[in-house]
Amino acid sequence: MIRQHGWLALLATAVLGWSQLNGARAEEGTAALAARLASNSAEEQLTALEEVIKLGPSAAELLPAVLTQLNNADVGVRYEAMAAVGAIGPSAKSAVPQLLKLLQGSELLLKYEALVALRSIGVQSDEISRAVAPLLGDEDRMIRVEAAATVVALKLAGRGEAIAALSAALSDGREGVRSAAIPWFSLAGMEAVPALQETLRTGGSAARAAAVEALGNLGPAAAMAVPQLLELAKSDSPALLSSVADALGNIATDPQQSVPVLVKLCRHDSVVVRIEALKALGEFGRSAAGALDQIQASLTDSDVMVRLAACDALGALGPEAKSAIAALSAALRDPEGAVTLRACEALGSIGPAALPELQKLLEDPHYGALALQTLEFMGPMARPASGAILKHLEQANGLPQRNLCLALAAVGADTKSAGPVLKKILNDPMSDARAAAAFALGRLGDRSAIKDLTNVVEDDNPLVRLASAWSLLHMDPGNDEYVKIAVPRLTEALSESNPQIRAESARTLGMLGERASSAVPALVQCLGHDESRPVRIASAVAVSEMGSAGHAAVPQLIALAQDSSAEGRRTAMYCLGRMGAASAAAAPHLKQRMQSGAPQDRMVAAWALLQIEADDGNAALALPILLDAMSREEPQVVVQLVRTASQFAGKHPEVKKAVMSLTNADDPALRAAAAAATERMSN
């Protein structure tokens, strides 16, 4: 709900018999899978290979058994084995020779999967270039696309020919071929823009639509194509207009030209066009402030999806949308519950200006709980509302005590006023909010509650035990006795049904660092298999804090580094970098990710690669990315990049020049980091 920035620097400041049983089960599972792979039953082999695919990189030790199935007489087993090789990823380097042989075969499915697997493994070599190059002219259209994708993804020889092949695919009569080609333009970067612009000029309607989508996938790298996209916004085709709006939002440059066009599209007859135009305005964020009146008007659109998109766009505007507070408040009464939720989220994103309205809503029996949740997500910026929250907590006549305690913990409060109320709840055996009160006392840092918390740390209620141990640690993290009490409880809580509890437990274990290393097996289990992404992310950060004990999590971190969410990928890559040389197996994946279309993905991958192995070859690949990021990232992130890049100033004069230019930066921390790096470079 609340946008956060500078995540790299924020992460950088992050300072039972269960484990044995789990290890035994994993060992038994690996042995059982190997036996099933060696079975004579195709059905057994297929189900075993499906399990290997689910395990992904953590199944690396089963690779030899998987490779034997590439010669299986059953084509289905061979196909599944190929998919398993790809799922194992960078650890499957030894499979490359067999994959190259399959590229010369006649079975299209295996040839297709071999190309997919090569991309997943991430190896770059002249031999692979020679094997893939002929497939750019293969008679099968999908093979041509996959070969081009492989050249672009692995940065093989023939990049120009590959981009040409992808561009040609956009004019293919089969929608599947066009769709398969579109995502790979993002890896081609700016090099692909001229070819896509040519398709916009000369292609048919389907080809132009595909080119528009590909340009959108390129993001800001496609800025030079914006004038053509704006021209296409005059089209009569709703399908093309919705694609143009989406692309303009993804590129999100030149708001002076793009925003007025999107405002006009917000009034189009087509619902889909209106939705995409509002989403695009949201991507411009505060730069779309000129569209505020139109976005606000869209809150009363006849279509519910348009109203939802309008709420989101106002939320993206943040404080710039404060004049829409009354309209969002009215939208809370929308007959569709989803609009009510999103309108409240937008109020939270507007920030302090929305607090009076949210405090008023606390008194409303219909919307009080929703307003409370919004205040909780706003965190410290909602502290002025702590008095209203505390009043409801004291009265105990409406909103649930548990939710009020958690909101108070999130926004912050004066312990002199909040402490007595929270301690009363903690010591009330009839209250169902005792755990939340314990958590709030710790979060607020009320040291007068230490005795109360110590008294309940052996409580019959497991959540009270967990919360009280957590709070004691937060108030006195150096106390070894508290650590001894807390670690088993926090480890046990990693298997709680509530994902918020699991995530908070992982974060606290990470805060303890190597003192909580006994929790590593349970954290690895969460990292690899927990259904909640926040729990997986919190577990990733935690294991990266635990020194050599955390190195056991490298395969799971490599898998998370391929997550569909940007936060998951970037956190995992950051953690791999934190582990240094122990993460060497991740280097091929990081090099591959450095070629992706998302600038922050490239930046974190480049940073992590240099933490793992800071040799000349990696520096040549990573430094251009880091130097580019230093010109546009937030100061706290740039501080990290300066520290890393300055190590290579001796062989790379451009680094010294870039760092020295930051000694006059506005941010004091950045100035200090640049000055310190300049001094090191001069010695």
Side-chain angles (χ1 to χ4, degrees):
M1 179 184 299
I2 307 301
R3 292 173 183 262
Q4 296 183 354
H5 302 285
W7 66 272
L8 178 64
L10 292 174
L11 279 177
T13 61
V15 261
L16 309 172
W18 159 261
S19 61
Q20 295 172 347
L21 175 62
N22 190 57
R25 283 178 179 167
E27 216 173 284
E28 179 186 4
T30 299
L33 279 175
R36 286 161 60 196
L37 287 169
S39 152
N40 291 324
S41 163
E43 184 177 349
E44 281 289 313
Q45 292 162 348
L46 284 169
T47 57
L49 287 166
E50 287 172 4
E51 290 299 316
V52 171
I53 291 169
K54 290 178 185 176
L55 290 171
S58 60
E61 61 187 291
L62 289 166
L63 180 63
V66 171
L67 291 180
T68 62
Q69 300 307 322
L70 292 178
N71 298 316
N72 195 293
D74 188 306
V75 67
V77 174
R78 294 203 301 277
Y79 178 80
E80 203 72 8
M82 187 70 68
V85 171
I88 291 171
S91 299
K93 290 180 184 176
S94 60
V96 169
Q98 282 178 265
L99 297 179
L100 297 184
K101 285 183 182 178
L102 289 169
L103 292 184
Q104 300 168 17
S106 58
E107 293 180 89
L108 291 179
L109 280 178
L110 295 180
K111 193 183 293 188
Y112 179 99
E113 281 297 327
L115 289 164
V116 173
L118 284 169
R119 293 199 297 272
S120 179
I121 294 168
V123 174
Q124 300 167 305
S125 72
D126 291 341
E127 187 180 11
I128 295 176
S129 290
R130 288 192 295 270
V132 174
L135 300 181
L136 294 172
D138 195 272
E139 61 183 23
D140 184 87
R141 291 175 280 185
M142 287 301 293
I143 295 297
R144 292 199 297 270
V145 169
E146 289 302 313
T150 305
V151 170
V152 170
L154 299 183
K155 218 167 184 178
L156 303 175
R159 193 173 174 85
E161 293 86 343
I163 292 173
L166 291 172
S167 300
L170 298 182
S171 299
D172 195 283
R174 288 166 51 187
E175 182 182 354
V177 175
R178 298 195 301 273
S179 298
I182 289 170
W184 300 105
F185 284 97
S186 62
L187 294 184
M190 292 180 66
E191 292 178 65
V193 175
L196 292 169
Q197 289 179 296
E198 181 62 25
T199 303
L200 291 182
R201 282 191 291 270
T202 62
S205 57
R208 289 204 310 276
V212 168
E213 185 177 348
L215 286 164
N217 288 345
L218 280 166
M224 68 180 77
V226 167
Q228 280 178 277
L229 293 173
L230 295 175
E231 191 62 30
L232 287 176
K234 300 174 183 176
S235 168
D236 294 328
S237 165
L240 183 58
L241 288 174
S242 63
S243 295
V244 168
D246 180 59
L248 289 172
N250 289 336
I251 297 169
T253 60
D254 195 6
Q256 289 186 332
Q257 299 297 319
S258 297
V259 168
V261 171
L262 291 169
V263 167
K264 184 177 179 181
L265 293 179
C266 286
R267 299 190 287 267
H268 197 274
D269 290 341
S270 166
V271 168
V272 176
V273 174
R274 298 202 298 275
I275 292 170
E276 291 301 329
L278 286 163
K279 287 181 179 178
L281 288 169
E283 293 297 329
F284 278 89
R286 297 184 184 186
S287 298
L292 180 58
D293 289 345
Q294 176 57 56
I295 299 172
Q296 187 172 322
S298 297
L299 288 173
T300 58
D301 193 276
S302 60
D303 185 85
V304 62
M305 297 304 294
V306 174
R307 301 199 298 276
L308 287 171
C311 290
D312 292 344
L314 290 170
L317 281 171
E320 297 289 340
K322 62 184 179 182
S323 63
I325 289 173
L328 284 167
S329 181
L332 295 173
R333 278 79 181 171
D334 194 282
E336 292 288 342
V339 176
T340 298
L341 289 170
R342 303 270 265 278
C344 207
E345 287 182 5
L347 285 170
S349 297
I350 290 171
L355 289 178
E357 183 65 29
L358 289 167
Q359 289 181 80
K360 191 195 312 180
L361 287 171
L362 286 176
E363 309 294 335
D364 191 310
H366 298 292
Y367 306 109
L370 183 58
L372 182 64
Q373 183 182 18
T374 303
L375 291 168
E376 180 182 347
F377 276 108
M378 288 176 71
M381 76 167 68
R383 181 156 183 164
S386 62
I389 297 171
L390 186 58
K391 184 191 77 171
H392 281 274
L393 187 59
E394 289 177 299
Q395 293 175 348
N397 60 357
L399 296 168
Q401 279 190 325
R402 177 182 176 279
N403 300 70
L404 288 162
C405 289
L406 293 176
L408 205 59
V411 307
D414 177 18
T415 56
K416 288 183 181 179
S417 54
V421 180
L422 292 168
K423 284 188 281 188
K424 182 180 178 181
I425 295 171
L426 173 66
N427 294 309
D428 179 0
M430 302 303 293
S431 173
D432 62 358
R434 294 173 65 220
F439 172 73
L441 287 164
R443 191 73 175 266
L444 297 177
D446 187 355
R447 296 185 65 84
S448 72
I450 286 179
K451 182 178 179 181
D452 300 83
L453 292 165
T454 305
N455 288 340
V456 298
V457 81
E458 298 292 347
D459 196 90
D460 291 339
N461 186 320
L463 291 183
V464 174
R465 294 200 303 268
L466 168 64
S468 57
W470 181 94
S471 291
L472 288 169
L473 279 176
H474 272 257
M475 284 191 276
D476 192 359
N479 189 312
D480 289 337
E481 187 61 30
Y482 292 167
V483 172
K484 185 178 178 181
I485 292 170
V487 169
R489 288 167 176 76
L490 292 166
T491 305
E492 179 184 324
L494 292 173
S495 58
E496 278 287 338
S497 59
N498 187 325
Q500 290 180 314
I501 293 175
R502 300 198 301 274
E504 193 59 53
S505 299
R507 292 187 193 102
T508 307
L509 288 165
M511 181 189 76
L512 295 174
E514 294 186 46
R515 292 184 295 168
S517 58
S518 63
V520 166
L523 286 165
V524 170
Q525 177 73 8
C526 286
L527 174 56
H529 302 290
D530 200 284
E531 63 185 15
S532 165
R533 182 178 288 126
V535 174
R536 296 198 300 274
I537 290 172
S539 300
V541 177
V543 294
S544 75
E545 298 285 346
M546 294 187 179
S548 59
H551 296 169
V554 168
Q556 287 77 15
L557 286 171
I558 292 174
L560 183 61
Q562 301 171 64
D563 195 74
S564 59
S565 82
E567 184 183 10
R569 291 193 307 273
R570 294 166 191 169
T571 301
M573 290 190 290
Y574 174 82
C575 293
L576 288 165
R578 288 283 308 279
M579 291 184 177
S583 299
H589 172 77
L590 293 170
K591 290 177 182 177
Q592 184 175 349
R593 183 60 66 180
M594 283 161 60
Q595 303 166 29
S596 72
Q600 279 205 327
D601 276 16
R602 296 200 301 270
M603 174 190 71
V604 185
W607 177 88
L609 184 65
L610 292 182
Q611 309 309 306
I612 293 169
E613 190 174 3
D615 60 23
D616 290 343
N618 287 343
L621 292 172
L623 287 176
I625 297 172
L626 297 187
L627 293 178
D628 175 63
M630 282 165 57
S631 67
R632 54 181 167 74
E633 284 294 335
E634 295 186 17
Q636 60 265 50
V637 175
V638 178
V639 166
Q640 297 289 318
L641 303 183
V642 164
R643 290 171 181 164
T644 298
S646 60
Q647 303 172 53
F648 304 92
K651 294 183 179 180
H652 297 271
E654 68 275 18
V655 171
K656 187 172 184 178
K657 181 179 178 182
V659 171
M660 290 181 68
S661 71
L662 296 171
T663 55
N664 295 317
D666 293 335
D667 185 84
L670 181 51
R671 282 201 309 272
T678 300
E679 184 176 349
R680 286 196 304 271
M681 292 185 297
S682 301
N683 293 334

